[in-house]
Amino acid sequence: MSNESDDSECSDHEFYDILSGDGYVHDVRPSKSNAKSTNLASVQALSYFDTKKKDFNILDMLPIVKKVFLKYNTTLPSSAPVERLFSSGSQILTPRRNRLTDKTFEMLLCCRCLKK
């Protein structure tokens, strides 16, 4: 159970380190620089939420929000297209077609994928 709280504290420190911009873990005790960076981050976050424009160009004016956005708003890769490709390959390479050359197999696989 203590590992979960340690992991949570570590991820919290990592998140707030991004906001401060220096990459170092800060002491828990408040200091003037921590308060200043936290205030700057809060101001930038609130100004982002108050803007009517929601395009990506607004992030150039808010560097802290942009840094957090790029770190946490990433897409997760999916293996579904690769699995479909291998599934199609097993439908092409049957026991009756065991003498296909690599080039012919690749051409048949491409033709099958283009149909869908």
Side-chain angles (χ1 to χ4, degrees):
M1 175 127 351
S2 66
N3 284 341
E4 288 178 15
S5 64
D6 291 342
D7 290 342
S8 175
E9 285 180 31
C10 181
S11 66
D12 288 345
H13 282 296
E14 181 182 349
F15 177 75
Y16 289 113
D17 288 341
I18 290 173
L19 294 179
S20 67
D22 59 4
Y24 296 105
V25 176
H26 296 290
D27 196 5
V28 177
R29 292 170 283 167
S31 68
K32 288 184 181 180
S33 64
N34 285 346
K36 185 178 178 182
S37 64
T38 302
N39 287 339
L40 181 61
S42 297
V43 167
Q44 284 190 17
L46 290 174
S47 65
Y48 173 74
F49 289 129
D50 286 340
T51 59
K52 301 295 182 211
K53 296 188 319 183
K54 294 299 179 189
D55 58 347
F56 290 116
N57 295 335
I58 194 73
L59 293 176
D60 292 332
M61 296 185 306
L62 307 166
I64 295 174
V65 174
K66 183 177 182 177
K67 191 181 284 190
V68 172
F69 176 81
L70 292 176
K71 177 157 176 86
Y72 291 105
N73 195 23
T74 58
T75 59
L76 297 174
S78 174
S79 62
V82 175
E83 290 176 12
R84 281 194 294 273
L85 183 67
F86 281 122
S87 176
S88 296
S90 66
Q91 293 170 355
I92 291 173
L93 194 61
T94 61
R96 288 187 157 194
R97 291 183 162 180
N98 63 357
R99 294 180 189 205
L100 289 176
T101 63
D102 291 340
K103 186 155 182 89
T104 307
F105 174 74
E106 185 177 336
M107 288 175 21
L108 287 170
L109 188 61
C110 288
C111 288
R112 180 169 280 217
C113 290
L114 292 176
K115 285 182 184 177
K116 296 178 181 182

